[in-house]
Amino acid sequence: MSLLKKTTVWVQEQIITPEQKEKILAFERQSGNHTFWNTAFIIAGILIGLGICLLIAANWSVLPATVKLIGDFALFGALIFAIYWSIQNQHKGLKELFTILAFLLVGGTIGLVGQIFQLSGGWNNFALAWALLGLPYVILSRSIFINMAWLVLLGSIFNGKYLGKILEYIVGNFTINTIIDIIILYAIYWGITKIQDKTDKYIVLPKTIGKLLIWSIYLLVIYIGCRWGLISSHNLQAFGAYLVVFGFLGFRMYMATRKQNISSFKRNAVLAEIYIFAIFASKMGNLWMSGWGFILGGLFILAFVFALRKTTRYIKQMEIFK
Amino acid sequence: MKKHILITSLVLPFICLLAWVLFLTITRNTGSEITVNIAGYDPRDLLSGHYIAYQIDWDHTDCTQFDGNVCPKKEFCKEAHWGRQCRFYIPENQAKDLNNLFVMRFHNNLKFEVVYSYRKGRTPIAKKLLINGDEWQEYMRNKKL
């Protein structure tokens, strides 16, 4: 429920007065900048983390295996320390950045170990190990991206190992299977969070079904966008797909802003970013180049955010002096 | 108490991954080296990198390397729909050339083999990819590929 809706209900229930409602909304509008900062940190974290994974996948032969392993574990250790430090010092944005990096680096490390020791394990084992070892970081993070990524990982385990075999005969399409798995898992996740909140007594509610329908539309649009926008060799078709995806996500972000629904805004922003990364990766030549492109893109966002933050503070200070 | 839980949960994945690496290193270094002949599929790439997907050609592998002169076929590689499939990861910048060599191996009369570290009861770990008896990097360097 958006803050606007919540406060309207509170006024109707006479919990707060209309004046208090306006004050709360005005306060939230002012502090809304944190959402922007945190989203920027999350996006930078995703970019840098994916970049590191791509560099690992490129399997650069110049570096010996031992050096790669030592470098990877040193980075992992540093990230653990950075997460602890950011929690202790209450840096929410940095905590999100480091947690996402650590979660993605767990996957990267498993990939690196598989590469160095020439392991033939399938995706199921890889995804299961990643989901289990990455769980502490998923719990620590408040980002919707990391939650969704974890669910997709779980979905892919079930798809390959259990559900997939049954659904293959029914649907006969891997992508549809994956979407169904994600929807089932999202339903479970949604139910659990509702139980934890103690706001609802039942796992499946009409609202949940509505939410799932919205998610299936999201996934369908992204699927069409990927299918046509990334694979198609016709520029016009690809451009049309970009327009559909960004138009849809942009409209949802606009509506979220109007309704002051911060979580919806974040969700759409992250989906748009993921789609940008997919285009970026498909257009850039190889893993090595894409990896560096991602890392530099993430570092650019971080530098931009810090510069913007400093500038904003400076302008605010100037206003005080006036 | 909460601080301890936080530190433990943050460090636990790190320790698990490190223990895994140590276990694999010990397994690789303590096993005896055996060489198997391979026949293959095309290399594919996933997020974990480029690799050659191959099957072990047991008909052309020397089984006297193993105890009792019997090849332990089931201990090698992962079961797939079409048989047991193995992987050998290769650097991205050399993947295309190696792929071409692998696909054209019969035409060019090339013999592809993989050296494993093998210890009974443990998962065998691939150590080297050989082309006509030379390590693949060395072979490609000599051929200026």
Side-chain angles (χ1 to χ4, degrees):
Chain A
M1 196 186 275
S2 71
L3 191 66
L4 188 67
K5 275 186 189 171
K6 264 185 194 171
T7 45
T8 311
V9 173
W10 292 344
V11 171
Q12 281 167 0
E13 296 291 324
Q14 294 182 335
I15 296 166
I16 56 170
T17 62
E19 291 78 36
Q20 282 172 323
K21 176 192 163 185
E22 287 309 315
K23 273 185 183 174
I24 291 169
L25 289 177
F27 176 77
E28 283 298 315
R29 254 179 239 127
Q30 262 201 332
S31 60
N33 278 344
H34 292 298
T35 311
F36 171 75
W37 303 125
N38 290 347
T39 309
F41 276 119
I42 289 167
I43 291 165
I46 297 166
L47 270 172
I48 298 170
L50 287 177
I52 292 168
C53 287
L54 287 174
L55 286 190
I56 289 171
N59 193 356
W60 200 34
S61 54
V62 177
L63 285 178
T66 322
V67 175
K68 285 183 195 170
L69 274 176
I70 291 170
D72 182 84
F73 276 94
L75 180 63
F76 199 178
L79 276 175
I80 290 169
F81 178 75
I83 295 170
Y84 183 73
W85 173 84
S86 55
I87 291 170
Q88 293 297 310
N89 290 286
Q90 296 183 331
H91 284 288
K92 280 184 185 172
L94 286 176
K95 190 201 90 186
E96 287 303 325
L97 172 80
F98 296 136
T99 325
I100 287 174
L101 277 176
F103 175 72
L104 291 172
L105 195 64
V106 170
T109 306
I110 298 168
L112 181 68
V113 174
Q115 210 178 66
I116 288 171
F117 292 94
Q118 305 292 349
L119 303 178
S120 302
W123 171 259
N124 303 327
N125 299 335
F126 178 78
L128 182 65
W130 192 356
L132 286 176
L133 293 172
L135 190 60
Y137 310 113
V138 176
I139 294 167
L140 272 176
S141 173
R142 292 199 167 271
S143 152
I144 186 90
F145 165 79
I146 211 164
N147 284 299
M148 286 303 287
W150 193 74
L151 283 172
V152 170
L153 269 182
L154 272 187
S156 63
I157 301 165
F158 290 128
N159 193 341
K161 206 86 179 172
Y162 310 108
L163 282 181
K165 288 199 173 160
I166 305 160
L167 292 171
E168 253 172 40
Y169 294 104
I170 305 166
V171 191
N173 187 320
F174 176 80
T175 315
I176 303 282
N177 268 356
T178 315
I179 290 171
I180 292 168
D181 281 357
I182 293 167
I183 290 170
I184 292 167
L185 284 163
Y186 189 78
I188 297 165
Y189 173 70
W190 180 253
I192 290 166
T193 49
K194 282 286 164 194
I195 289 167
Q196 278 174 343
D197 282 352
K198 291 177 184 169
T199 47
D200 297 303
K201 285 177 185 172
Y202 307 102
I203 289 176
V204 179
L205 293 164
K207 214 161 83 182
T208 312
I209 295 163
K211 196 98 181 167
L212 292 178
L213 277 173
I214 292 169
W215 268 102
S216 56
I217 294 168
Y218 267 98
L219 292 165
L220 194 68
V221 171
I222 296 283
Y223 172 69
I224 291 167
C226 288
R227 187 98 186 150
W228 290 345
L230 305 184
I231 300 162
S232 168
S233 55
H234 301 287
N235 285 337
L236 201 68
Q237 200 178 26
F239 183 70
Y242 301 154
L243 219 62
V244 169
V245 175
F246 289 123
F248 177 75
L249 295 176
F251 175 72
R252 294 285 305 163
M253 282 163 82
Y254 171 71
M255 292 305 287
T257 316
R258 280 196 62 173
K259 290 178 183 173
Q260 295 190 328
N261 190 342
I262 294 165
S263 61
S264 172
F265 176 85
K266 275 189 192 172
R267 189 164 50 233
N268 284 286
V270 169
L271 281 173
E273 287 302 327
I274 291 169
Y275 190 58
I276 293 169
F277 304 155
I279 297 169
F280 191 43
S282 73
K283 300 297 171 199
M284 286 188 83
N286 53 31
L287 297 168
W288 179 250
M289 287 302 292
S290 308
W292 280 115
F294 273 45
I295 291 173
L296 291 175
L299 291 175
F300 173 77
I301 291 175
L302 281 182
F304 180 74
V305 166
F306 279 116
L308 202 66
R309 222 169 177 174
K310 287 267 177 205
T311 318
T312 318
R313 275 183 194 162
Y314 179 73
I315 290 168
K316 275 183 182 170
Q317 276 175 354
M318 294 295 281
E319 277 174 0
I320 292 164
F321 286 125
K322 276 176 190 174
Chain B
M1 184 64 187
K2 270 189 177 177
K3 198 175 164 185
H4 292 302
I5 294 169
L6 176 69
I7 293 170
T8 312
S9 62
L10 283 175
V11 174
L12 198 65
F14 181 87
I15 292 169
C16 288
L17 286 167
L18 199 64
W20 187 37
V21 169
L22 288 175
F23 171 75
L24 288 170
T25 310
I26 291 165
T27 308
R28 189 170 66 173
N29 294 339
T30 52
S32 52
E33 279 194 0
I34 55 107
T35 309
V36 294
N37 210 3
I38 61 167
Y41 291 89
D42 296 335
R44 302 141 192 216
D45 65 301
L46 282 179
L47 199 70
S48 50
H50 292 259
Y51 61 88
I52 282 182
Y54 62 88
Q55 279 190 314
I56 296 173
D57 182 6
W58 290 112
D59 295 336
H60 295 97
T61 293
D62 176 18
C63 289
T64 57
Q65 301 173 93
F66 301 98
D67 287 346
N69 297 340
V70 180
C71 285
K73 296 176 187 178
K74 285 188 177 173
E75 286 186 35
F76 283 77
C77 309
K78 185 182 159 265
E79 189 71 60
H81 296 299
W82 54 87
R84 289 190 167 267
Q85 191 222 334
C86 321
R87 288 178 189 177
F88 195 92
Y89 290 94
I90 48 178
E92 184 186 30
N93 57 344
Q94 284 161 308
K96 201 178 166 190
D97 292 330
L98 197 57
N99 173 30
N100 291 338
L101 279 180
F102 196 54
V103 172
M104 299 296 284
R105 65 190 180 283
F106 296 119
H107 187 261
N108 296 329
N109 205 17
L110 296 175
K111 189 180 177 189
F112 274 75
E113 291 167 310
V114 172
V115 178
Y116 275 93
S117 168
Y118 174 74
R119 205 171 149 189
K120 205 174 179 184
R122 293 267 174 89
T123 309
I125 295 174
K127 289 174 85 172
K128 291 178 242 173
L129 176 69
L130 306 178
I131 305 174
N132 283 353
D134 291 330
E135 275 202 49
W136 72 270
Q137 293 100 325
E138 200 185 321
Y139 180 87
M140 290 180 86
R141 247 195 320 270
N142 292 340
K143 294 280 170 188
K144 290 178 180 156
L145 288 168

